[in-house]
Amino acid sequence: MKKQLNVGIVGYKFMGRAHSNAWKKAPLFFDMPVTPVLKAACGRNEESVREFADNWGWEDIETDWQKLVTRPDIDIIDIALPQNLHYEIALAAAKAGKHIFCEKPLSMTSVQAEEMLKVCEENKVTHYLNHNYRRTPAVAHAKKMIEDGKIGRIFHWRCAYQQDWIVDPAFPLTWQLRKETAQAGPQWDLNSHAVDLAHFLVGDIDTVSCLTANFIKERPIADENASGSLSATSLGTEMGEVTVDDAALMMVTFKNGAVGSFEATRFASGRKNRLTFEIYGSEGSITFDLERMNELQYFSRNDAEGDQGFRTILATEAAHPYANNWWPAGHIIGYEHAFVHAVVDFVDAVEKGISIKPDFSDGLKIIQVLEAGLRSAETKQQVQL
Amino acid sequence: MKKQLNVGIVGYKFMGRAHSNAWKKAPLFFDMPVTPVLKAACGRNEESVREFADNWGWEDIETDWQKLVTRPDIDIIDIALPQNLHYEIALAAAKAGKHIFCEKPLSMTSVQAEEMLKVCEENKVTHYLNHNYRRTPAVAHAKKMIEDGKIGRIFHWRCAYQQDWIVDPAFPLTWQLRKETAQAGPQWDLNSHAVDLAHFLVGDIDTVSCLTANFIKERPIADENASGSLSATSLGTEMGEVTVDDAALMMVTFKNGAVGSFEATRFASGRKNRLTFEIYGSEGSITFDLERMNELQYFSRNDAEGDQGFRTILATEAAHPYANNWWPAGHIIGYEHAFVHAVVDFVDAVEKGISIKPDFSDGLKIIQVLEAGLRSAETKQQVQL
Amino acid sequence: MKKQLNVGIVGYKFMGRAHSNAWKKAPLFFDMPVTPVLKAACGRNEESVREFADNWGWEDIETDWQKLVTRPDIDIIDIALPQNLHYEIALAAAKAGKHIFCEKPLSMTSVQAEEMLKVCEENKVTHYLNHNYRRTPAVAHAKKMIEDGKIGRIFHWRCAYQQDWIVDPAFPLTWQLRKETAQAGPQWDLNSHAVDLAHFLVGDIDTVSCLTANFIKERPIADENASGSLSATSLGTEMGEVTVDDAALMMVTFKNGAVGSFEATRFASGRKNRLTFEIYGSEGSITFDLERMNELQYFSRNDAEGDQGFRTILATEAAHPYANNWWPAGHIIGYEHAFVHAVVDFVDAVEKGISIKPDFSDGLKIIQVLEAGLRSAETKQQVQL
Amino acid sequence: MKKQLNVGIVGYKFMGRAHSNAWKKAPLFFDMPVTPVLKAACGRNEESVREFADNWGWEDIETDWQKLVTRPDIDIIDIALPQNLHYEIALAAAKAGKHIFCEKPLSMTSVQAEEMLKVCEENKVTHYLNHNYRRTPAVAHAKKMIEDGKIGRIFHWRCAYQQDWIVDPAFPLTWQLRKETAQAGPQWDLNSHAVDLAHFLVGDIDTVSCLTANFIKERPIADENASGSLSATSLGTEMGEVTVDDAALMMVTFKNGAVGSFEATRFASGRKNRLTFEIYGSEGSITFDLERMNELQYFSRNDAEGDQGFRTILATEAAHPYANNWWPAGHIIGYEHAFVHAVVDFVDAVEKGISIKPDFSDGLKIIQVLEAGLRSAETKQQVQL
């Protein structure tokens, strides 16, 4: 029988489902030397976590995360919670010697992030930050193309992460819209993804200028417990202040001389989950759009004159990272598949005792950029990292 | 504990995987009144089927399908095999009172299909033919739009199902390229999907004109047992005759007065799995492309003058069939998800003792059209159905 | 001073404008050895033709085409009229030794076309049939790519020419909808373009199967003289029979073994002037859409594995035929520019005493295919050319 | 006979051709109450300007612009020159009472622009700044949609103007790359267009943060007189410093609360002349791409739930500004057509003695934003306008 690694998860909402699916599905499609076991799920509401565990096949439940992270039969702690809860749990898990699979964004502050990284390193646990888009076949292939020199010297990064779920002023004041639970708005939630991709594909950021906007100042107060299925009609008339940004724009310079821009917003009507980036280089260019995540646009200056143009690469072929484990060419995969790839690589790293990217050191760098952004927005000056 | 239905599957290759994934995944994402149990998997090669069953969690294995279909602990037979093996197994399963979830195309001939339907009806079993594309959110939404009158009277159906996996003359003579195992080429494999969608979205076909082509007459003979991972280098020099079409074109009239066309080919360089259709009507139009299966293009003649145009609907919202059970809006799903939807609806039909579409009667109609096509290609005349 | 060639035009509506513009504009953007002079315009209505001539700078007018074609100061007769008027004028012009620039489709019948060709050859005049889409930079570049072997052996041609201007049943019975003036509907008007492109890019057609449809049987009778600005409200209540097809589909085999399909329709809601073709070959593929006429999609099987995909070539660079005479790369041209290219090449051919493609021999071949199509639609059989 | 206005043009290269074409073509396609007459063309090189005038039909030539602007038979001065030559000529022309049709960007500095505006106003001449993209049917229609409330309150402007003509380090040091002739790089040349569109469609800009980059520091020195047809091979080995930006990024706030971003670059491999903007509002969104300038993407939050999506409006219909004067729906127009629209509207304004937008007051505002950008890039601080 194969070696096993026992997973304990904290959180059972959107990310709890996405992670559970990944833990279950990974060994079905990938040849894994070690099998992850869905050992225990943890949440404060016993009834809800029970139902969640039953559905997804978590063997056991806990209602106190402190118990979970110290259980001797647990090897991996999966933190599938909002960012305000990562710090404490990650510290405790690392101190208990557990490997950590942590949802993004890493933390509320860079101070937290630094300590999280330090404690993980001290306790020699594998730490992974789930910026899953790196592991879509299209983005992973883009990375390979850059490494192979197909893009050459990079001049430009142009990125936007656009959603539209709070355009309606009647949308309630959920935890994402309050500073104490979210730290920031799209600057944290969306730009953390975008900055991770920029670091991954272009390189380290050197300076940041940032602009934030708040379009709707107050919103109906939401019932926190019902946040899964919010509707305007179920809300009372009491209003509360929105204490995070509705949109955040950044201009950056990279240490390698490239320049870039970011836009993160929840006010782009018609964009549901559009994370798009453009990379322009001396040999070629690449663009990507998460709403068409199986595709990569590629332009090569080395194609024959007159025959040059942006190609739509459908990243579903054997030559594309991860793709071969799924279906034949042309059969696309979905949003959740990148989580599966992350689980596969994470388990491999844990088993081999090696690190996996992005980890908490990457997360720290991201938080530093995001914080620098907020500082720049406040001071209206460029901030050097 | 929930009621259960026990499934026995025959076949463990491409479709075996896709079906297994669906049986497992359906209850995780959908609230199903009855839980499907992966009871037994069947295949001729014991070692292979054992490995398959272990991976996917099939409780038991069989190497003789006759045994499987008569096991009293089996409620559902899932036929995940090539078309030349459907007839015998389906008859036996129906006679044993098993409900049938059958891969497409239904059969080798319409005579077979008629008998399959008859025996299923006599034995009052639920029979389902897996034209899964009907159950993508985009196509299911298109159907609803048509039913709601948004397209109006349909004038045109224009469809192509294009792949390119045998353009290389060194590609071997697999079972798909021989008449005794496949009956026909794209006319069977691809046009069965296309005709199903035409029936579903436009209506019954009245007349057929067809043209078939064979571009490469003979190919290296393949080792049948190694068909999962064929490569030109592992082949000998012996050549065999290709006995099916490489491409099939059809022009049809529908009983409702619409006209349509089909192209099915494995020689469209650059198209990996492109099933595209266009529907033009008196109120609006719809187009679809399987390589972007989360999207639907919709034109309405009732939009304001000057503001009309084809819209890209990203069918990932709560308003779109099945979509709400997956992820938030803008988070796309993949190829295999439509299989999950099929399993959900099939189990529901079995439980309620009702029929599900498409069933063997739909399959019979499809085979009749495909056969009429082959007849037309031979006689060079239009064939009336 | 440069040598001059005097042009006489017959017709002053849509095509009269497009041709006049081309004659005027050609020497401005192209270095032409001979200057075309807008000598005389001819139309039955003196007032209208006078206004037209004044606007476009035609030096003189005629109201009788017989006079025009025999004027000794005219070198070129430009026939910018519907197809029912080409035959008589072309014969007379050729007999008078005039070179002919003729709008498409060539004629009402292949018998007419044969005679037109014969008389032109006997009188040694240059004859050109204005299938202008050949001379868009994108299509001209596609031709070059095919000649250079970049597409290889062609397997498939898939073409549609779709418009939607008569979906409304209140649209009147204009000359295009009556057999005596138009001979056929989209089969003549649109498929003549499509067949020309197929001949140009793929090769000669060998067999034809055709299906025609008439969706709206009768329409309000139109005032012929007001056909330029028809509106439903200005029509009476008298109805007349539509005596041409509303849509025509064809399936063909080419002499070189390729197979193809055509759809021509005026009932494709949302398509204004979409002429789209797809060509699939053993080395690569090409697609085109007239509504994005500056672009060509190109797929090469010879690109690196994993980096393959359809490229959008923006055919505005110096490497693209005709493009260099207009604007810098990325600055697109419009519909009428292909007429300019035709004029440039035509004048060059006249001056050199050589032929230009497509000429009346090409037109004859097109009409033969279209006629074969109508015959096939009637007999419901494939027709051999 | 119609009233006439005599035009004198200065400049005969890229813009000289585009303007000449517009003056000639406007009365052919539009019903103009006044006819523009191509009276005289002016350039320093007599031979070149003679050839230009002969080709385009300018009646006369001048080699001294001071003479041209004081000729009594001239009503309109068309300044089709680089920005470093606008100031002096515009002042002289206005003082001579000539109406001015001026190429963009308006001037080298805002001080110049202010004086240009003042002198024009004092002399009561009509002044027009040729930001022609406002007058493409698609952009003009977008403006109308915004005015009609279809976009609602605007939250976001996201714009990029991308070219790639100087990616090659061997490209020479033309006038566009030297501060004394161009003032700035894409910040002047490209962002002037982009800022004009932002002002037109969104509103006045309030604050600017800017980042500029220079990727290639020195280039081969070019022969100024041969700038029309530069090639690397004809250059010597002497190198000169590039003294303008290669790329410029801006983040802005608008007075109405919207936020926006700009990217202007000549280093975006694969983009030939891509000016793309996205506008997101409370009721809907609009996007545009100059390389597909006949199209507008429009999303409406007021479409039926489930049927929402970005529509591709092909702005070639009678309902779209200017489109009706060209061809039937679906027949696209090209880059130069917007110049024709500008001429039509300019002549109308001159005739009526009214102003036309954008004029020098708009140009001044643009230059102020661009200058603020350069200041911000230098100080690394946000600049308030």
Side-chain angles (χ1 to χ4, degrees), chain C residues 14-26 30 32 78-80 101-104 128 130-137 193 273 293 322 326 333-347, chain D residues 327-328 331:
Chain C
F14 176 14
M15 279 305 133
R17 294 173 76 223
H19 289 213
S20 297
N21 177 69
W23 292 114
K24 277 187 89 79
K25 204 163 170 177
F30 288 78
M32 297 175 73
D78 178 343
I79 306 175
F101 187 104
C102 185
E103 198 37 57
K104 47 64 57 182
Y128 166 71
N130 188 34
H131 281 297
N132 50 312
Y133 301 146
R134 283 195 186 198
R135 283 182 165 82
T136 57
H193 270 306
N273 196 36
M293 57 168 265
Y322 308 107
W326 299 103
I333 59 169
Y335 163 71
E336 75 264 35
H337 293 63
F339 289 81
V340 176
H341 307 159
V343 156
V344 171
D345 292 344
F346 176 74
V347 167
Chain D
W327 313 109
H331 295 68

Side-chain angles (χ1 to χ4, degrees), chain A residues 25 292 295 332 336-337, chain B residues 25 292 295 335-337:
Chain A
K25 205 163 167 179
R292 287 179 175 167
E295 300 177 13
I332 70 169
E336 76 264 36
H337 293 64
Chain B
K25 205 162 169 179
R292 288 179 175 168
E295 301 178 12
Y335 163 71
E336 75 264 35
H337 293 65

Side-chain angles (χ1 to χ4, degrees), chain C residues 14 17-18 21 24-25 27-30 55-57 133 161 163 272-273 290-295 297 312 314 316-317 324-337, chain D residues 14 17-18 21 24-25 27-30 55-57 133 161 163 272-273 290-295 297 312 314 316-317 324-337:
Chain C
F14 176 14
R17 294 173 76 223
N21 177 69
K24 277 187 89 79
K25 204 163 170 177
L28 299 176
F29 285 90
F30 288 78
N55 187 62
W56 288 96
Y133 301 146
Y161 201 150
Q163 302 180 336
K272 301 306 167 190
N273 196 36
L290 186 62
E291 289 182 352
R292 288 179 175 167
M293 57 168 265
N294 292 272
E295 300 177 13
Q297 302 284 331
T312 304
L314 190 58
T316 57
E317 300 178 50
N324 209 22
N325 286 71
W326 299 103
W327 313 108
H331 296 68
I332 70 170
I333 59 169
Y335 163 71
E336 75 264 35
H337 293 63
Chain D
F14 176 14
R17 294 173 77 223
N21 177 67
K24 277 187 88 79
K25 205 162 169 178
L28 299 176
F29 286 90
F30 288 77
N55 186 62
W56 289 97
Y133 300 146
Y161 200 149
Q163 301 180 336
K272 301 306 166 190
N273 196 36
L290 185 63
E291 289 181 351
R292 288 179 175 167
M293 57 168 264
N294 293 271
E295 300 178 13
Q297 301 284 330
T312 304
L314 190 58
T316 57
E317 300 179 51
N324 208 22
N325 285 73
W326 298 103
W327 313 109
H331 295 68
I332 70 170
I333 61 171
Y335 163 71
E336 76 263 35
H337 293 64

Side-chain angles (χ1 to χ4, degrees), chain A residues 207-364:
Chain A
T207 69
V208 180
S209 301
C210 181
L211 181 67
T212 57
N214 174 235
F215 301 117
I216 293 180
K217 307 295 182 194
E218 53 178 28
R219 291 180 176 275
I221 287 175
D223 175 359
E224 277 309 299
N225 296 322
S227 66
S229 58
L230 286 164
S231 69
T233 52
S234 71
L235 297 165
T237 54
E238 207 186 338
M239 302 293 275
E241 193 189 352
V242 175
T243 47
V244 300
D245 50 291
D246 284 334
L249 277 63
M250 295 197 289
M251 293 188 310
V252 305
T253 56
F254 292 87
K255 288 185 179 157
N256 61 15
V259 294
S261 70
F262 296 84
E263 178 186 298
T265 181
R266 295 163 175 161
F267 276 75
S269 291
R271 305 302 184 189
K272 302 306 167 188
N273 195 37
R274 184 191 190 215
L275 167 53
T276 176
F277 62 75
E278 305 168 30
I279 296 173
Y280 298 102
S282 60
E283 301 299 318
S285 304
I286 280 175
T287 77
F288 174 79
D289 178 350
L290 186 62
E291 289 181 352
R292 287 179 175 167
M293 57 169 263
N294 292 271
E295 300 177 13
L296 195 66
Q297 301 285 331
Y298 166 49
F299 177 90
S300 172
R301 286 175 53 89
N302 301 306
D303 285 342
E305 202 187 352
D307 297 347
Q308 297 184 0
F310 277 86
R311 299 177 204 170
T312 304
I313 299 173
L314 190 58
T316 57
E317 299 179 52
H320 301 120
Y322 307 108
N324 208 22
N325 285 71
W326 298 103
W327 312 109
H331 295 67
I332 70 169
I333 61 170
Y335 162 71
E336 76 264 36
H337 293 64
F339 289 81
V340 176
H341 305 160
V343 156
V344 170
D345 291 345
F346 175 74
V347 167
D348 182 65
V350 169
E351 169 61 11
K352 293 182 176 153
I354 59 175
S355 68
I356 173 176
K357 305 295 285 185
D359 62 14
F360 287 9
S361 71
D362 299 294
L364 170 59

